[in-house]
Amino acid sequence: MPDIEAKRQVVDDLKNRFSRSTVAIFTDYRGLTVAEMTELRNRLRKAGVELKVVKNTLARFALRECGLEEVEPHLEGPNAVVFGYEDPVEPAKIVNDFIKEFKKLEVKAGILDRRVIKAKEIESLAALPPKEVIIAMVLGGLQGPVRGLVYVLNANLSGLARAINAIKEKREAS
């Protein structure tokens, strides 16, 4: 019985991680040495991202309980899942950079906003700028029209002030 209870705890832990994560990336880690796996974990940890090697059967139970059964076809062979809890771009960037450097890790699929995404979509996600940069770009885009409106209103007011001043000077001169 204790074995079943331990498995139940693992399923509950996975279910909790899937529920909290903004992105989950399923990878095949075959071929990675212990040192390379440690390097990957360290890179992910610095960004507040976790890597968990999962047993497919237990992952299937957790995914079903979260309503994410569409991921199940990708649970073949050994799986390590990268869980990102904040910015979904950062975990994708780290995994993508690691793949370019070591050429051993393979992305199978992912979950983004409770939707299954393919490996190519994770690669596209990695190409996006970080969340803070996107927010700054949007705010900068919103600022432009407001700045233009202020300039136009200011120009009209200064023109009106000049016209009134010219009339005043004309009357004083007469």
Side-chain angles (χ1 to χ4, degrees), residues 10-162:
V10 171
V11 169
D12 287 344
D13 177 55
L14 286 173
K15 187 172 124 183
N16 179 33
R17 289 173 193 260
F18 285 125
S19 299
R20 290 185 305 130
S21 64
T22 56
V23 67
I25 302 170
F26 292 82
T27 64
D28 183 341
Y29 60 91
R30 278 185 279 209
L32 286 180
T33 65
V34 173
E36 290 166 342
M37 184 66 110
T38 302
E39 174 66 23
L40 177 59
R41 284 182 195 273
N42 289 339
R43 290 181 189 186
L44 293 167
R45 194 175 300 119
K46 283 179 188 172
V49 179
E50 297 175 328
L51 176 82
K52 180 133 181 90
V53 174
V54 297
K55 290 190 174 197
N56 293 340
T57 305
L58 301 179
R60 279 188 182 91
F61 284 124
L63 289 165
R64 285 179 192 152
E65 289 184 24
C66 290
L68 297 166
E69 297 89 0
E70 314 90 72
V71 182
E72 287 187 37
H74 302 285
L75 294 178
E76 296 295 324
N79 280 290
V81 184
V82 175
F83 293 99
Y85 300 106
E86 291 177 24
D87 181 11
V89 174
E90 189 64 23
K93 275 188 187 302
I94 294 169
V95 169
N96 203 39
D97 291 346
F98 190 85
I99 290 170
K100 286 178 183 174
E101 187 176 337
F102 291 96
K103 295 173 181 41
K104 290 183 181 175
L105 192 67
E106 178 190 333
V107 172
K108 295 179 174 184
I111 301 170
L112 178 65
D113 292 331
R114 305 208 37 89
R115 185 178 69 84
V116 177
I117 58 175
K118 296 178 176 143
K120 282 286 183 197
E121 291 172 295
I122 293 169
E123 200 174 304
S124 298
L125 182 64
L128 291 174
K131 185 178 181 180
E132 295 80 19
V133 173
I134 293 173
I135 290 171
M137 290 167 61
V138 169
L139 291 176
L142 293 174
Q143 222 174 12
V146 173
R147 192 177 298 130
L149 178 64
V150 168
Y151 177 75
V152 167
L153 292 176
N154 195 23
N156 287 340
L157 291 176
S158 65
L160 178 63
R162 274 189 246 118

